[in-house]
Amino acid sequence: MTPTTSDTTNRRHTSHWGAFTAAVQNGKLVGVTPFEKDSDPATYLKSIPGAVHSEARIAGPVVRKGWLENGPGGNRESRGAEPFVAVSWDNALDLVADELRRVKRDFRNESIMAGSYGWSSAGKFHHARTQLHRFMNCFGGFTGQIGTYSTAAATAIMPHVVGTATAALAGTSSKSISDHAQLMVCFGGLPLGNMQSAVGGVGDHDTLRWLREARANGCEFVSISPIREDMAEFIQAGWLQPKPNTDTAVMLALAHVLATESLHDEGFLSSHCVGYDSFERYVLGESDGQPKTPEWAAAISGTEADAIRSLARRMSSTRTMLTCTYSLQRGDHGEQPFWMVVVLAAMLGQIGLPGGGFAMGYGSIGVNRDAARDLSVPILPAGRNPVESSIPVARISDMLLHPGEPYQFNGMDCRYPDIKLVYWSGGNPFHHHQDVNRLIRAWQGPDTIIVNEPWWTATARHADIVLPATTSLERNDLSASAGDRFVMAMQKSVEPVGDARNDFDIFLGLARRLGIAEAFDEGRDEEAWVRHLYDLTHRFAAQRGVELPGFDAFWEQGFVEIPPPAKPFVMFDDFRSDPEEHPLRTPSGKVEIFSEKIAGFGYDDCPGHPVWQEPVEWLGAESAKRYPLHLISNQPSARLHSQMDQGSVSRDTKIRGREPITMHTDDATARGLADGDIARVFNDRGEVLAGVAISDGILPGVVALATGAWYDPLEPGKAGTLDIHGNPNVLTLDKGTSKLAQGPAAQSALVEIDRYDGVLPEITVFSQPTVIER
Ligand SMILES: Nc1nc2c(c(=O)[nH]1)N[C@H]1C(S)=C(S)[C@@H](COP(=O)(O)OP(=O)(O)OC[C@H]3O[C@@H](n4cnc5c(=O)[nH]c(N)nc54)[C@H](O)[C@@H]3O)O[C@H]1N2
Ligand SMILES: Nc1nc2c(c(=O)[nH]1)N[C@H]1C(S)=C(S)[C@@H](COP(=O)(O)OP(=O)(O)OC[C@H]3O[C@@H](n4cnc5c(=O)[nH]c(N)nc54)[C@H](O)[C@@H]3O)O[C@H]1N2
Ligand SMILES: [Mo]
């Protein structure tokens, strides 16, 4: 495995957005060539070399000045504003080890927040977040985070409804859909850019292929989304444009048509489901006096009643697949649309049929669902957390602002821990969390904040101790995503940039100081761990009748391809064929259209069956008079979240250096805005600058500002200051979806926009902050 970094031999590698070979000259990464088996490589692979060697890399360990001078908690309100002081690795690791010891001794492990939500980079051994968890478990535990920003609401509701959270993530395979579906109804559309990434990497981006096959086989598509580009033009899909966050009303009206025109499958509803009757009484208005007619939904959503009526009839007349992007559950009451999709599929009676029923997230993530599904590379084991302390993933600011306070979560009475130390590795909360100004205030609470990062992200800039991490190109690893058919080698291509160290080596250095090195590394170095994880993969494959080459042959070739399963996967086919023999893992063993368990929680914001409830912010809200534009903060097609924002592909999309905001021609004209202008986007929570991109393909009243532009405050460290770059989370609302899931509700946000004619401040976040050399 010895790397050679002085030549240009091909080094195989992969990223969450695709595999490639790296070309190296004079120890520098100079180019990448997409994996030869990839039929549709991601555009932003090209950003990697520039990012690895970018000006935004962290050169060496640093400590915030006030912390270094005054100790833990020193000048904590100046986080983000104060300069850093360069220190040696030994000095930095001593400081971190001493501080961990102090906090453990005085406040116990529960007061260490190391949930560290974030995608890190691809690679099953060097996965930054897992490395941190493993280290902290050896150290006695930490407060963690439950769920993901991706699918918190969905993965909380689905186990109640169909007995498994995975039904929220991956379902019936694309092959089954392209062979059998005649209609695919896509809430949130099927945005091609989103399907370019998957956790752990995508070997072959084959979305275009199966979509073309589906079209060739006569499958028709309907996109239900405020944005035309959410469905590729060649698909020639029908298009409904409900106002954001009103899909549940549209879905209830579809159910109303199915019920009142007797288009529902009564046999399936009684043999495979429970609770349809009480749901139907609600839909018909018998329980609350309001029939959920298409006219009712039209008044809420702005979607024509006849379009809803005819879609329901079409759905019931043919083999129909329903899908829903994750974005719909990332809004207030985000549990409801996912529950409703299952209910609609149950009413159609097609759950468990090839190409029928529901399969969530097709428009959200790029996994090849035809791969050998249960073959994947195991990740580095994190071990067991001895401390039973965790929060719902997106309640981070709540926790920091309200230590000791009670809250509800999925039927449980919970209490926020009192956090003294935060450790983040492999995530970027100043990108991913809602209401950045509230986060800045919350972030002032803990005594100490430690961040491992390759780049000077806003999160690194708001830390006390920053430890520079390598990128995946600077180390050996291997990766695969569950549902992709390739296992990829990740071969070290360049030496660590600057003084960067692998997260593994950082934690091993700490573990040695804390006397837990043996438990942490189990006597294995990088090479031994990579071989070990491959050997486990090899063994699992053999148990399933798949013979993989030995490690050396795998490493030499750089990848292995796993043959697809003989039969395309159909979710719940066994349950369908025999619900007694193969019950769902719900209390009733059946699909729970009404859940006694959820009803028993007594939550006003998530009752026993799906309902329409107004979101806190939407175009029908009272506050829309002041802030009349609904902000969609969707996924960026030119990067992965905030990763590669410093790369050329993302930066080429910017307008005078700012993140583009897409708005309808009418909304722009009404505000005197022209294409290419700089806009100020604001609400009571904050304000950002963005570049105006005018389109007639977005619903009037809706604007779209993708996530991931690195937060670049005009006055660093100060809550409420203008973000000059365009991070939508300065504007989003920090509220749980409901007491059930407490998921992030980023998609429920209203804003107003005006033109920014002031002097345009220079973007500084891609260059170095002030570091005092000693
Ligand atoms: N408004 C709004 N907000 C959102 C969303 C939205 O739709 N709207 N989407 C949400 C979703 S779905 C998600 S998943 C989150 C994503 O949120 P994150 O996962 O936090 O976003 P990333 O930009 O992928 O952050 C990963 C960080 O890890 C760092 N990193 C990469 N490799 C390494 C490594 O080897 N070691 C270390 N130490 N660090 C490394 C990267 O530089 C980067 O800063 O955002 C959420 N936030
Ligand atoms: N290129 C790229 N791909 C990515 C990512 C990335 O950062 N970059 N992130 C990855 C991650 S971590 C995740 S979790 C997934 C996320 O996948 P999603 O959450 O599904 O992605 P979004 O782009 O936020 O939303 C998809 C579309 O839903 C529409 N939409 C938003 N709100 C509503 C609504 O209320 N109703 C309806 N009908 N439509 C709505 C928007 O128009 C949007 O374009 O994407 C993954 N794919
Ligand atoms: Mo995500």
Side-chain angles (χ1 to χ4, degrees):
M1 275 173 71
T2 320
T4 42
T5 51
S6 58
D7 54 30
T8 49
T9 46
N10 291 339
R11 309 299 293 169
R12 294 275 189 180
H13 214 79
T14 195
S15 64
H16 294 308
W17 51 96
F20 57 93
T21 49
V24 179
Q25 258 169 25
N26 303 324
K28 270 201 149 189
L29 193 64
V30 290
V32 296
T33 310
F35 182 41
E36 64 269 29
K37 303 251 178 181
D38 192 344
S39 53
D40 183 25
T43 53
Y44 56 104
L45 264 184
K46 279 206 292 286
S47 286
I48 292 175
V52 166
H53 299 291
S54 91
E55 219 197 307
R57 283 300 293 267
I58 302 169
V62 299
V63 181
R64 185 172 58 79
K65 189 163 175 284
W67 195 99
L68 193 63
E69 288 170 357
N70 306 318
N75 296 9
R76 66 178 95 205
E77 63 295 339
S78 303
R79 287 194 178 111
E82 268 194 344
F84 291 100
V85 180
V87 296
S88 70
W89 268 109
D90 272 343
N91 192 349
L93 294 177
D94 286 345
L95 289 172
V96 173
D98 287 348
E99 176 60 355
L100 283 169
R101 241 185 247 115
R102 178 191 76 94
V103 171
K104 182 187 173 90
R105 184 192 61 221
D106 294 353
F107 306 100
R108 297 168 183 269
N109 285 73
E110 183 193 86
S111 66
I112 300 173
M113 168 65 189
S116 188
Y117 180 78
W119 269 48
S120 314
S121 43
K124 296 294 177 178
F125 170 59
H126 286 292
H127 190 255
R129 186 187 191 207
T130 309
Q131 287 280 351
L132 172 61
H133 288 175
R134 183 179 169 87
F135 165 76
M136 284 296 176
N137 285 337
C138 295
F139 184 60
F142 61 97
T143 288
Q145 286 165 294
I146 299 175
T148 64
Y149 280 75
S150 311
T151 58
T155 49
I157 190 74
M158 294 306 258
H160 292 294
V161 179
V162 291
T164 165
T166 57
L169 307 174
T172 294
S173 70
S174 54
K175 176 99 178 87
S176 177
I177 297 175
S178 57
D179 283 352
H180 297 281
Q182 287 301 298
L183 176 65
M184 186 161 183
V185 179
C186 308
F187 290 91
L190 295 172
L192 289 180
N194 285 1
M195 292 180 266
Q196 294 198 318
S197 32
V199 184
V202 187
D204 179 19
H205 293 87
D206 78 337
T207 305
L208 280 177
R209 190 170 59 222
W210 76 259
L211 283 174
R212 290 206 173 100
E213 276 167 20
R215 288 295 291 139
N217 290 342
C219 181
E220 296 183 344
F221 290 76
V222 174
S223 178
I224 302 175
S225 159
I227 298 177
R228 187 176 56 208
E229 278 68 34
D230 283 341
M231 189 64 85
E233 213 177 314
F234 80 88
I235 295 173
Q236 297 174 301
W239 185 24
L240 304 188
Q241 297 168 272
K243 288 175 185 152
N245 290 196
T246 66
D247 301 79
T248 303
V250 173
M251 293 172 189
L252 285 165
L254 291 168
H256 187 273
V257 178
L258 297 177
T260 53
E261 300 188 5
S262 294
L263 302 174
H264 57 312
D265 186 336
E266 284 181 44
F268 186 83
L269 288 169
S270 65
S271 59
H272 288 74
C273 309
V274 293
Y276 176 70
D277 290 349
S278 64
F279 170 75
E280 194 190 73
R281 279 196 297 280
Y282 169 75
V283 168
L284 299 180
E286 291 165 13
S287 55
D288 69 343
Q290 174 59 64
K292 311 301 174 299
T293 61
E295 283 70 21
W296 166 82
I300 292 169
S301 68
T303 311
E304 279 175 35
D306 282 345
I308 297 174
R309 207 166 265 122
S310 69
L311 178 60
R313 291 171 187 155
R314 248 176 107 189
M315 279 163 42
S316 68
S317 68
T318 191
R319 182 62 54 87
T320 299
M321 176 58 79
L322 305 178
T323 190
C324 186
T325 54
Y326 300 158
S327 54
L328 270 77
Q329 49 88 62
R330 216 176 292 113
D332 200 18
H333 306 301
E335 297 84 357
Q336 304 304 318
F338 266 55
W339 199 349
M340 260 317 290
V341 167
V342 179
V343 171
L344 284 172
M347 291 178 78
L348 296 175
Q350 297 185 18
I351 292 173
L353 288 179
F358 70 92
M360 305 304 195
Y362 257 95
S364 304
I365 215 93
V367 283
N368 179 331
R369 288 156 209 236
D370 289 317
R373 298 181 52 85
D374 39 9
L375 263 189
S376 176
V377 180
I379 198 158
L380 170 77
R384 203 185 61 84
N385 186 348
V387 172
E388 281 186 15
S389 174
S390 51
I391 56 163
V393 68
R395 301 278 50 82
I396 171 87
S397 293
D398 272 7
M399 173 189 70
L400 296 175
L401 290 167
H402 302 288
E405 281 187 27
Y407 65 96
Q408 280 295 311
F409 175 41
N410 211 351
M412 293 177 287
D413 295 314
C414 307
R415 218 167 259 286
Y416 288 123
D418 188 356
I419 298 301
K420 301 295 176 193
L421 183 148
V422 172
Y423 202 136
W424 227 285
S425 179
N428 188 359
F430 278 77
H431 140 64
H432 69 230
H433 191 59
Q434 285 59 66
D435 198 346
V436 168
N437 289 314
R438 184 167 188 255
L439 178 66
I440 288 173
R441 286 188 289 270
W443 208 249
Q444 291 171 354
D447 293 343
T448 299
I449 296 176
I450 306 162
V451 169
N452 291 9
E453 244 297 335
W455 290 279
W456 276 116
T457 61
T459 300
R461 286 163 196 265
H462 287 80
D464 299 323
I465 302 178
V466 184
L467 304 178
T470 54
T471 70
S472 70
L473 276 300
E474 294 148 56
R475 59 206 188 203
N476 292 298
D477 210 335
L478 79 171
S479 197
S481 70
D484 189 48
R485 68 180 195 281
F486 296 95
V487 177
M488 304 293 313
M490 298 173 71
Q491 300 168 338
K492 179 172 173 179
S493 308
V494 294
E495 288 302 320
V497 171
D499 235 355
R501 288 190 184 176
N502 299 335
D503 294 283
F504 172 67
D505 296 316
I506 295 172
F507 292 122
L508 186 57
L510 293 172
R512 289 201 175 112
R513 283 164 171 79
L514 297 165
I516 51 173
E518 263 171 60
F520 178 69
D521 73 358
E522 289 180 45
R524 293 192 187 94
D525 62 5
E526 175 190 80
E527 173 164 357
W529 271 109
V530 172
R531 281 181 182 272
H532 174 66
L533 293 179
Y534 184 82
D535 289 346
L536 290 177
T537 311
H538 191 276
R539 212 180 309 154
F540 292 155
Q543 282 163 7
R544 291 174 174 81
V546 178
E547 204 49 53
L548 298 184
F551 179 81
D552 293 319
F554 155 68
W555 196 258
E556 171 74 27
Q557 188 179 351
F559 69 93
V560 284
E561 185 168 357
I562 296 166
K567 190 170 145 279
F569 178 74
V570 176
M571 188 168 59
F572 299 132
D573 54 350
D574 49 355
F575 164 68
R576 181 184 186 89
S577 62
D578 191 342
E580 309 304 326
E581 192 63 28
H582 303 285
L584 300 181
R585 278 171 288 162
T586 54
S588 62
K590 298 185 175 180
V591 176
E592 303 226 338
I593 294 173
F594 183 95
S595 162
E596 295 283 356
K597 193 166 171 203
I598 293 178
F601 298 159
Y603 293 156
D604 54 350
D605 53 5
C606 191
H609 60 68
V611 293
W612 159 253
Q613 291 187 339
E614 283 193 32
V616 269
E617 291 186 22
W618 69 297
L619 289 174
E622 188 57 29
S623 52
K625 290 189 181 127
R626 276 211 303 150
Y627 296 115
L629 299 169
H630 192 118
L631 174 73
I632 297 279
S633 47
N634 51 358
Q635 311 302 309
S637 56
R639 57 179 181 261
L640 176 74
H641 322 126
S642 70
Q643 297 196 48
M644 299 297 127
D645 191 36
Q646 74 279 47
S648 56
V649 178
S650 178
R651 286 170 87 168
D652 284 350
T653 67
K654 310 261 168 166
I655 296 172
R656 294 165 71 192
R658 322 295 135 157
E659 188 65 20
I661 187 164
T662 305
M663 57 192 304
H664 191 270
T665 323
D666 297 348
D667 292 322
T669 309
R671 290 164 179 79
L673 287 162
D675 221 38
D677 277 352
I678 298 301
R680 187 178 68 103
V681 190
F682 61 98
N683 58 23
D684 290 339
R685 292 177 288 271
E687 51 178 0
V688 308
L689 298 184
V692 174
I694 293 180
S695 161
D696 62 357
I698 187 165
L699 183 68
V702 179
V703 294
L705 178 65
T707 54
W710 289 14
Y711 174 65
D712 197 344
L714 191 60
E715 283 185 68
K718 194 174 156 217
T721 188
L722 176 73
D723 165 34
I724 63 174
H725 192 194
N727 174 356
N729 279 323
V730 170
L731 304 160
T732 54
L733 178 72
D734 184 13
K735 172 191 180 298
T737 49
S738 82
K739 297 182 191 76
L740 189 93
Q742 293 286 7
Q747 304 299 357
S748 302
L750 294 172
V751 297
E752 179 54 295
I753 295 185
D754 59 20
R755 202 169 61 216
Y756 180 80
D757 290 322
V759 181
L760 207 50
E762 219 177 297
I763 298 292
T764 61
V765 70
F766 295 131
S767 22
Q768 297 282 312
T770 308
V771 176
I772 302 165
E773 299 294 333
R774 282 210 300 194

